[in-house]
Amino acid sequence: MPPEYRGRVTPVTTLRTAHTADLTPTELAAARALMDLAFDGDFSDEDWDHGLGGVHALVHDAEGELLAHGSVVQRRVLHNGRSLRVGYVEAVATRPDRQRQGLGGQVMGALEDVVERAYDLGVLSPSEEGEKLYRAHGWQTWTGPVGTLGPRGVEEMPDEDAPMIWGGDLDPAHTLLIDWRDGDVF
């Protein structure tokens, strides 16, 4: 329990997972607004689009206000002659006034449960602020080369920040090629 809650009643929160198709327009709008708040306006519509179409983890307070969010969507990675189904974690954020209270950990735990049950491994592109949370959950920085299989074929990405992975038995001697998408590939 965080020190600020020792000796006090822990605030009541609820964790819910749901597919994008099962969220109402109001719930999606609240999650999108949370991204703008948490990322201080540096979260594009393209970034938001990357987090749709999969399973969302949402933490609400007792009054129903959204406090934290994350999603996991399916992507494909080619690695060492194999095509792997990847749970790609996106749009992880906690309201700034509720950070460091374990809410991000709740979101990650729920998303990792989805990854473990449905995918070969998890992949994410960490923000500097989020990296500590991911490391605490066992995510590791990929040490090998990265690239994408895009419209022009295989494209190496030597200047790309390394993604983090969770699970899977990958060999960093071989390139991690992720499927192409508009905007940030990783």
Side-chain angles (χ1 to χ4, degrees):
M1 177 178 303
E4 62 268 23
Y5 290 113
R6 289 194 188 122
R8 296 187 348 197
V9 175
T10 302
V12 175
T13 60
T14 58
L15 171 68
R16 174 179 169 227
T17 58
H19 191 277
T20 301
D22 296 323
L23 297 176
T24 67
T26 300
E27 290 172 311
L28 288 169
R32 178 65 177 100
L34 175 61
M35 296 304 112
D36 286 333
L37 178 65
F39 287 93
D40 199 24
D42 191 23
F43 196 87
S44 71
D45 288 340
E46 217 164 46
D47 294 332
W48 175 242
D49 187 59
H50 292 166
L52 300 176
V55 176
H56 299 254
L58 307 108
V59 177
H60 292 89
D61 66 13
E63 289 77 39
E65 185 171 352
L66 183 62
L67 304 176
H69 171 275
S71 63
V72 61
V73 297
Q74 181 173 312
R75 296 189 68 190
R76 284 283 177 177
V77 163
L78 299 177
H79 179 71
N80 197 16
R82 296 172 30 216
S83 175
L84 302 170
R85 192 177 57 254
V86 170
Y88 201 90
V89 173
E90 294 279 5
V92 176
T94 301
R95 272 187 32 170
D97 63 333
R98 296 298 300 269
Q99 292 177 356
R100 312 287 183 264
Q101 297 175 12
L103 303 177
Q106 287 181 46
V107 166
M108 287 306 296
L111 298 179
E112 289 158 356
D113 284 346
V114 172
V115 170
E116 187 171 29
R117 291 190 321 263
Y119 299 101
D120 296 315
L121 71 146
V123 178
L124 59 78
S125 179
S127 67
E128 191 174 313
E129 298 81 17
E131 191 169 343
K132 184 176 178 182
L133 168 66
Y134 307 133
R135 285 200 189 290
H137 278 252
W139 291 75
Q140 298 178 351
T141 301
W142 173 249
T143 59
V146 295
T148 187
L149 183 57
R152 295 181 295 267
V154 172
E155 296 179 37
E156 298 291 330
M157 302 172 71
D159 297 328
E160 181 70 26
D161 289 338
M164 295 182 85
I165 62 169
W166 188 77
D169 184 21
L170 305 182
D171 181 354
H174 298 276
T175 302
L176 189 69
L177 292 173
I178 198 153
D179 56 352
W180 176 261
R181 66 180 182 185
D182 290 336
D184 294 330
V185 175
F186 276 97

PDB file of all heavy atoms in Angstrom, residues 146-174:
ATOM      1  N   VAL A 146      15.529  -3.847 -34.581  1.00  0.00           N
ATOM      2  CA  VAL A 146      14.096  -3.784 -34.851  1.00  0.00           C
ATOM      3  C   VAL A 146      13.861  -3.275 -36.268  1.00  0.00           C
ATOM      4  O   VAL A 146      14.712  -2.614 -36.865  1.00  0.00           O
ATOM      5  CB  VAL A 146      13.345  -2.879 -33.848  1.00  0.00           C
ATOM      6  CG1 VAL A 146      13.414  -3.443 -32.455  1.00  0.00           C
ATOM      7  CG2 VAL A 146      13.851  -1.461 -33.896  1.00  0.00           C
ATOM      8  N   GLY A 147      12.695  -3.594 -36.774  1.00  0.00           N
ATOM      9  CA  GLY A 147      12.295  -3.124 -38.089  1.00  0.00           C
ATOM     10  C   GLY A 147      10.816  -3.364 -38.275  1.00  0.00           C
ATOM     11  O   GLY A 147      10.101  -3.748 -37.349  1.00  0.00           O
ATOM     12  N   THR A 148      10.372  -3.138 -39.502  1.00  0.00           N
ATOM     13  CA  THR A 148       8.968  -3.348 -39.823  1.00  0.00           C
ATOM     14  C   THR A 148       8.858  -3.999 -41.188  1.00  0.00           C
ATOM     15  O   THR A 148       9.756  -3.857 -42.029  1.00  0.00           O
ATOM     16  CB  THR A 148       8.164  -2.027 -39.776  1.00  0.00           C
ATOM     17  OG1 THR A 148       6.773  -2.310 -39.944  1.00  0.00           O
ATOM     18  CG2 THR A 148       8.628  -1.058 -40.850  1.00  0.00           C
ATOM     19  N   LEU A 149       7.792  -4.716 -41.398  1.00  0.00           N
ATOM     20  CA  LEU A 149       7.454  -5.246 -42.707  1.00  0.00           C
ATOM     21  C   LEU A 149       6.381  -4.321 -43.237  1.00  0.00           C
ATOM     22  O   LEU A 149       5.214  -4.414 -42.862  1.00  0.00           O
ATOM     23  CB  LEU A 149       6.961  -6.686 -42.603  1.00  0.00           C
ATOM     24  CG  LEU A 149       6.643  -7.366 -43.926  1.00  0.00           C
ATOM     25  CD1 LEU A 149       7.854  -7.360 -44.855  1.00  0.00           C
ATOM     26  CD2 LEU A 149       6.178  -8.793 -43.688  1.00  0.00           C
ATOM     27  N   GLY A 150       6.793  -3.353 -44.040  1.00  0.00           N
ATOM     28  CA  GLY A 150       5.908  -2.291 -44.485  1.00  0.00           C
ATOM     29  C   GLY A 150       5.560  -2.361 -45.951  1.00  0.00           C
ATOM     30  O   GLY A 150       5.861  -3.361 -46.623  1.00  0.00           O
ATOM     31  N   PRO A 151       4.967  -1.314 -46.461  1.00  0.00           N
ATOM     32  CA  PRO A 151       4.554  -1.268 -47.869  1.00  0.00           C
ATOM     33  C   PRO A 151       5.713  -1.445 -48.846  1.00  0.00           C
ATOM     34  O   PRO A 151       5.506  -1.889 -49.969  1.00  0.00           O
ATOM     35  CB  PRO A 151       3.931   0.118 -48.024  1.00  0.00           C
ATOM     36  CG  PRO A 151       3.590   0.554 -46.641  1.00  0.00           C
ATOM     37  CD  PRO A 151       4.566  -0.115 -45.733  1.00  0.00           C
ATOM     38  N   ARG A 152       6.915  -1.115 -48.439  1.00  0.00           N
ATOM     39  CA  ARG A 152       8.093  -1.265 -49.302  1.00  0.00           C
ATOM     40  C   ARG A 152       8.907  -2.501 -48.935  1.00  0.00           C
ATOM     41  O   ARG A 152      10.069  -2.616 -49.305  1.00  0.00           O
ATOM     42  CB  ARG A 152       8.949  -0.007 -49.222  1.00  0.00           C
ATOM     43  CG  ARG A 152       8.253   1.238 -49.772  1.00  0.00           C
ATOM     44  CD  ARG A 152       9.141   2.476 -49.703  1.00  0.00           C
ATOM     45  NE  ARG A 152       9.441   2.874 -48.329  1.00  0.00           N
ATOM     46  CZ  ARG A 152       8.731   3.759 -47.623  1.00  0.00           C
ATOM     47  NH1 ARG A 152       7.693   4.349 -48.170  1.00  0.00           N
ATOM     48  NH2 ARG A 152       9.074   4.061 -46.392  1.00  0.00           N
ATOM     49  N   GLY A 153       8.318  -3.404 -48.169  1.00  0.00           N
ATOM     50  CA  GLY A 153       9.025  -4.604 -47.740  1.00  0.00           C
ATOM     51  C   GLY A 153       9.662  -4.404 -46.382  1.00  0.00           C
ATOM     52  O   GLY A 153       9.231  -3.567 -45.590  1.00  0.00           O
ATOM     53  N   VAL A 154      10.728  -5.146 -46.115  1.00  0.00           N
ATOM     54  CA  VAL A 154      11.410  -5.063 -44.827  1.00  0.00           C
ATOM     55  C   VAL A 154      12.159  -3.737 -44.738  1.00  0.00           C
ATOM     56  O   VAL A 154      12.892  -3.362 -45.642  1.00  0.00           O
ATOM     57  CB  VAL A 154      12.397  -6.240 -44.643  1.00  0.00           C
ATOM     58  CG1 VAL A 154      13.245  -6.041 -43.395  1.00  0.00           C
ATOM     59  CG2 VAL A 154      11.637  -7.561 -44.576  1.00  0.00           C
ATOM     60  N   GLU A 155      11.921  -3.034 -43.634  1.00  0.00           N
ATOM     61  CA  GLU A 155      12.616  -1.777 -43.371  1.00  0.00           C
ATOM     62  C   GLU A 155      13.264  -1.873 -41.997  1.00  0.00           C
ATOM     63  O   GLU A 155      12.568  -1.998 -40.992  1.00  0.00           O
ATOM     64  CB  GLU A 155      11.631  -0.597 -43.388  1.00  0.00           C
ATOM     65  CG  GLU A 155      10.985  -0.349 -44.727  1.00  0.00           C
ATOM     66  CD  GLU A 155      10.006   0.815 -44.701  1.00  0.00           C
ATOM     67  OE1 GLU A 155      10.285   1.809 -43.999  1.00  0.00           O
ATOM     68  OE2 GLU A 155       8.954   0.704 -45.348  1.00  0.00           O
ATOM     69  N   GLU A 156      14.584  -1.835 -41.978  1.00  0.00           N
ATOM     70  CA  GLU A 156      15.304  -1.798 -40.709  1.00  0.00           C
ATOM     71  C   GLU A 156      15.070  -0.426 -40.073  1.00  0.00           C
ATOM     72  O   GLU A 156      14.905   0.570 -40.772  1.00  0.00           O
ATOM     73  CB  GLU A 156      16.793  -2.036 -40.918  1.00  0.00           C
ATOM     74  CG  GLU A 156      17.115  -3.404 -41.512  1.00  0.00           C
ATOM     75  CD  GLU A 156      16.849  -4.564 -40.572  1.00  0.00           C
ATOM     76  OE1 GLU A 156      16.972  -4.383 -39.339  1.00  0.00           O
ATOM     77  OE2 GLU A 156      16.524  -5.660 -41.068  1.00  0.00           O
ATOM     78  N   MET A 157      15.058  -0.362 -38.764  1.00  0.00           N
ATOM     79  CA  MET A 157      14.806   0.887 -38.041  1.00  0.00           C
ATOM     80  C   MET A 157      15.888   1.076 -36.975  1.00  0.00           C
ATOM     81  O   MET A 157      15.611   1.004 -35.781  1.00  0.00           O
ATOM     82  CB  MET A 157      13.404   0.849 -37.430  1.00  0.00           C
ATOM     83  CG  MET A 157      12.293   0.643 -38.455  1.00  0.00           C
ATOM     84  SD  MET A 157      10.676   0.381 -37.713  1.00  0.00           S
ATOM     85  CE  MET A 157      10.332   1.999 -37.100  1.00  0.00           C
ATOM     86  N   PRO A 158      17.126   1.341 -37.398  1.00  0.00           N
ATOM     87  CA  PRO A 158      18.233   1.405 -36.423  1.00  0.00           C
ATOM     88  C   PRO A 158      18.112   2.556 -35.431  1.00  0.00           C
ATOM     89  O   PRO A 158      18.704   2.484 -34.346  1.00  0.00           O
ATOM     90  CB  PRO A 158      19.468   1.575 -37.312  1.00  0.00           C
ATOM     91  CG  PRO A 158      18.950   2.152 -38.582  1.00  0.00           C
ATOM     92  CD  PRO A 158      17.555   1.608 -38.759  1.00  0.00           C
ATOM     93  N   ASP A 159      17.355   3.600 -35.752  1.00  0.00           N
ATOM     94  CA  ASP A 159      17.232   4.741 -34.841  1.00  0.00           C
ATOM     95  C   ASP A 159      15.994   4.664 -33.947  1.00  0.00           C
ATOM     96  O   ASP A 159      15.755   5.562 -33.139  1.00  0.00           O
ATOM     97  CB  ASP A 159      17.194   6.047 -35.645  1.00  0.00           C
ATOM     98  CG  ASP A 159      18.483   6.261 -36.421  1.00  0.00           C
ATOM     99  OD1 ASP A 159      19.546   5.835 -35.926  1.00  0.00           O
ATOM    100  OD2 ASP A 159      18.417   6.826 -37.528  1.00  0.00           O
ATOM    101  N   GLU A 160      15.218   3.601 -34.072  1.00  0.00           N
ATOM    102  CA  GLU A 160      13.994   3.441 -33.284  1.00  0.00           C
ATOM    103  C   GLU A 160      14.347   3.132 -31.827  1.00  0.00           C
ATOM    104  O   GLU A 160      15.253   2.343 -31.546  1.00  0.00           O
ATOM    105  CB  GLU A 160      13.152   2.303 -33.859  1.00  0.00           C
ATOM    106  CG  GLU A 160      11.853   2.043 -33.141  1.00  0.00           C
ATOM    107  CD  GLU A 160      10.821   3.136 -33.340  1.00  0.00           C
ATOM    108  OE1 GLU A 160      10.877   3.841 -34.370  1.00  0.00           O
ATOM    109  OE2 GLU A 160       9.951   3.272 -32.460  1.00  0.00           O
ATOM    110  N   ASP A 161      13.635   3.765 -30.896  1.00  0.00           N
ATOM    111  CA  ASP A 161      13.799   3.403 -29.485  1.00  0.00           C
ATOM    112  C   ASP A 161      13.371   1.953 -29.304  1.00  0.00           C
ATOM    113  O   ASP A 161      12.355   1.515 -29.861  1.00  0.00           O
ATOM    114  CB  ASP A 161      12.943   4.303 -28.592  1.00  0.00           C
ATOM    115  CG  ASP A 161      13.470   5.726 -28.520  1.00  0.00           C
ATOM    116  OD1 ASP A 161      14.671   5.939 -28.789  1.00  0.00           O
ATOM    117  OD2 ASP A 161      12.676   6.628 -28.202  1.00  0.00           O
ATOM    118  N   ALA A 162      14.122   1.223 -28.511  1.00  0.00           N
ATOM    119  CA  ALA A 162      13.840  -0.199 -28.310  1.00  0.00           C
ATOM    120  C   ALA A 162      12.506  -0.394 -27.607  1.00  0.00           C
ATOM    121  O   ALA A 162      12.214   0.275 -26.610  1.00  0.00           O
ATOM    122  CB  ALA A 162      14.955  -0.835 -27.494  1.00  0.00           C
ATOM    123  N   PRO A 163      11.697  -1.333 -28.098  1.00  0.00           N
ATOM    124  CA  PRO A 163      10.463  -1.666 -27.386  1.00  0.00           C
ATOM    125  C   PRO A 163      10.789  -2.518 -26.164  1.00  0.00           C
ATOM    126  O   PRO A 163      11.932  -2.951 -25.970  1.00  0.00           O
ATOM    127  CB  PRO A 163       9.676  -2.477 -28.423  1.00  0.00           C
ATOM    128  CG  PRO A 163      10.740  -3.113 -29.271  1.00  0.00           C
ATOM    129  CD  PRO A 163      11.867  -2.121 -29.319  1.00  0.00           C
ATOM    130  N   MET A 164       9.783  -2.760 -25.360  1.00  0.00           N
ATOM    131  CA  MET A 164       9.909  -3.680 -24.232  1.00  0.00           C
ATOM    132  C   MET A 164       9.071  -4.908 -24.551  1.00  0.00           C
ATOM    133  O   MET A 164       8.037  -4.807 -25.221  1.00  0.00           O
ATOM    134  CB  MET A 164       9.443  -3.020 -22.929  1.00  0.00           C
ATOM    135  CG  MET A 164      10.319  -1.845 -22.524  1.00  0.00           C
ATOM    136  SD  MET A 164       9.820  -1.093 -20.951  1.00  0.00           S
ATOM    137  CE  MET A 164      10.703  -2.171 -19.803  1.00  0.00           C
ATOM    138  N   ILE A 165       9.526  -6.069 -24.064  1.00  0.00           N
ATOM    139  CA  ILE A 165       8.796  -7.311 -24.301  1.00  0.00           C
ATOM    140  C   ILE A 165       8.502  -7.991 -22.971  1.00  0.00           C
ATOM    141  O   ILE A 165       9.181  -7.769 -21.976  1.00  0.00           O
ATOM    142  CB  ILE A 165       9.551  -8.252 -25.264  1.00  0.00           C
ATOM    143  CG1 ILE A 165      10.905  -8.670 -24.677  1.00  0.00           C
ATOM    144  CG2 ILE A 165       9.741  -7.601 -26.626  1.00  0.00           C
ATOM    145  CD1 ILE A 165      11.571  -9.793 -25.461  1.00  0.00           C
ATOM    146  N   TRP A 166       7.478  -8.826 -23.000  1.00  0.00           N
ATOM    147  CA  TRP A 166       7.053  -9.578 -21.814  1.00  0.00           C
ATOM    148  C   TRP A 166       6.722 -10.988 -22.274  1.00  0.00           C
ATOM    149  O   TRP A 166       5.837 -11.170 -23.119  1.00  0.00           O
ATOM    150  CB  TRP A 166       5.841  -8.892 -21.201  1.00  0.00           C
ATOM    151  CG  TRP A 166       5.399  -9.413 -19.881  1.00  0.00           C
ATOM    152  CD1 TRP A 166       5.976  -9.177 -18.660  1.00  0.00           C
ATOM    153  CD2 TRP A 166       4.269 -10.246 -19.626  1.00  0.00           C
ATOM    154  NE1 TRP A 166       5.270  -9.806 -17.677  1.00  0.00           N
ATOM    155  CE2 TRP A 166       4.218 -10.467 -18.235  1.00  0.00           C
ATOM    156  CE3 TRP A 166       3.299 -10.807 -20.427  1.00  0.00           C
ATOM    157  CZ2 TRP A 166       3.230 -11.238 -17.641  1.00  0.00           C
ATOM    158  CZ3 TRP A 166       2.312 -11.584 -19.850  1.00  0.00           C
ATOM    159  CH2 TRP A 166       2.286 -11.791 -18.457  1.00  0.00           C
ATOM    160  N   GLY A 167       7.461 -11.954 -21.777  1.00  0.00           N
ATOM    161  CA  GLY A 167       7.248 -13.336 -22.187  1.00  0.00           C
ATOM    162  C   GLY A 167       7.922 -13.618 -23.521  1.00  0.00           C
ATOM    163  O   GLY A 167       8.587 -12.767 -24.106  1.00  0.00           O
ATOM    164  N   GLY A 168       7.757 -14.803 -24.006  1.00  0.00           N
ATOM    165  CA  GLY A 168       8.348 -15.186 -25.279  1.00  0.00           C
ATOM    166  C   GLY A 168       9.818 -15.498 -25.142  1.00  0.00           C
ATOM    167  O   GLY A 168      10.510 -14.990 -24.266  1.00  0.00           O
ATOM    168  N   ASP A 169      10.294 -16.357 -26.007  1.00  0.00           N
ATOM    169  CA  ASP A 169      11.698 -16.764 -26.003  1.00  0.00           C
ATOM    170  C   ASP A 169      12.300 -16.293 -27.320  1.00  0.00           C
ATOM    171  O   ASP A 169      12.329 -17.029 -28.299  1.00  0.00           O
ATOM    172  CB  ASP A 169      11.792 -18.283 -25.864  1.00  0.00           C
ATOM    173  CG  ASP A 169      13.219 -18.768 -25.758  1.00  0.00           C
ATOM    174  OD1 ASP A 169      14.100 -17.955 -25.404  1.00  0.00           O
ATOM    175  OD2 ASP A 169      13.455 -19.957 -26.044  1.00  0.00           O
ATOM    176  N   LEU A 170      12.768 -15.040 -27.335  1.00  0.00           N
ATOM    177  CA  LEU A 170      13.279 -14.447 -28.561  1.00  0.00           C
ATOM    178  C   LEU A 170      14.785 -14.304 -28.498  1.00  0.00           C
ATOM    179  O   LEU A 170      15.359 -14.078 -27.432  1.00  0.00           O
ATOM    180  CB  LEU A 170      12.643 -13.071 -28.784  1.00  0.00           C
ATOM    181  CG  LEU A 170      11.119 -13.018 -28.801  1.00  0.00           C
ATOM    182  CD1 LEU A 170      10.655 -11.602 -29.078  1.00  0.00           C
ATOM    183  CD2 LEU A 170      10.543 -13.986 -29.815  1.00  0.00           C
ATOM    184  N   ASP A 171      15.413 -14.402 -29.653  1.00  0.00           N
ATOM    185  CA  ASP A 171      16.863 -14.305 -29.765  1.00  0.00           C
ATOM    186  C   ASP A 171      17.235 -12.929 -30.298  1.00  0.00           C
ATOM    187  O   ASP A 171      16.938 -12.605 -31.452  1.00  0.00           O
ATOM    188  CB  ASP A 171      17.362 -15.403 -30.709  1.00  0.00           C
ATOM    189  CG  ASP A 171      18.864 -15.425 -30.879  1.00  0.00           C
ATOM    190  OD1 ASP A 171      19.559 -14.511 -30.358  1.00  0.00           O
ATOM    191  OD2 ASP A 171      19.349 -16.363 -31.546  1.00  0.00           O
ATOM    192  N   PRO A 172      17.900 -12.082 -29.493  1.00  0.00           N
ATOM    193  CA  PRO A 172      18.244 -10.738 -29.937  1.00  0.00           C
ATOM    194  C   PRO A 172      19.244 -10.700 -31.094  1.00  0.00           C
ATOM    195  O   PRO A 172      19.499  -9.638 -31.644  1.00  0.00           O
ATOM    196  CB  PRO A 172      18.810 -10.059 -28.689  1.00  0.00           C
ATOM    197  CG  PRO A 172      19.177 -11.150 -27.769  1.00  0.00           C
ATOM    198  CD  PRO A 172      18.308 -12.331 -28.109  1.00  0.00           C
ATOM    199  N   ALA A 173      19.771 -11.842 -31.507  1.00  0.00           N
ATOM    200  CA  ALA A 173      20.630 -11.879 -32.691  1.00  0.00           C
ATOM    201  C   ALA A 173      19.808 -11.732 -33.967  1.00  0.00           C
ATOM    202  O   ALA A 173      20.356 -11.467 -35.034  1.00  0.00           O
ATOM    203  CB  ALA A 173      21.430 -13.182 -32.726  1.00  0.00           C
ATOM    204  N   HIS A 174      18.486 -11.898 -33.847  1.00  0.00           N
ATOM    205  CA  HIS A 174      17.588 -11.800 -35.001  1.00  0.00           C
ATOM    206  C   HIS A 174      16.693 -10.563 -34.858  1.00  0.00           C
ATOM    207  O   HIS A 174      16.240 -10.243 -33.763  1.00  0.00           O
ATOM    208  CB  HIS A 174      16.718 -13.055 -35.118  1.00  0.00           C
ATOM    209  CG  HIS A 174      17.526 -14.292 -35.347  1.00  0.00           C
ATOM    210  ND1 HIS A 174      17.948 -14.690 -36.592  1.00  0.00           N
ATOM    211  CD2 HIS A 174      18.012 -15.209 -34.471  1.00  0.00           C
ATOM    212  CE1 HIS A 174      18.649 -15.806 -36.483  1.00  0.00           C
ATOM    213  NE2 HIS A 174      18.702 -16.131 -35.200  1.00  0.00           N
TER     214      HIS A 174
END
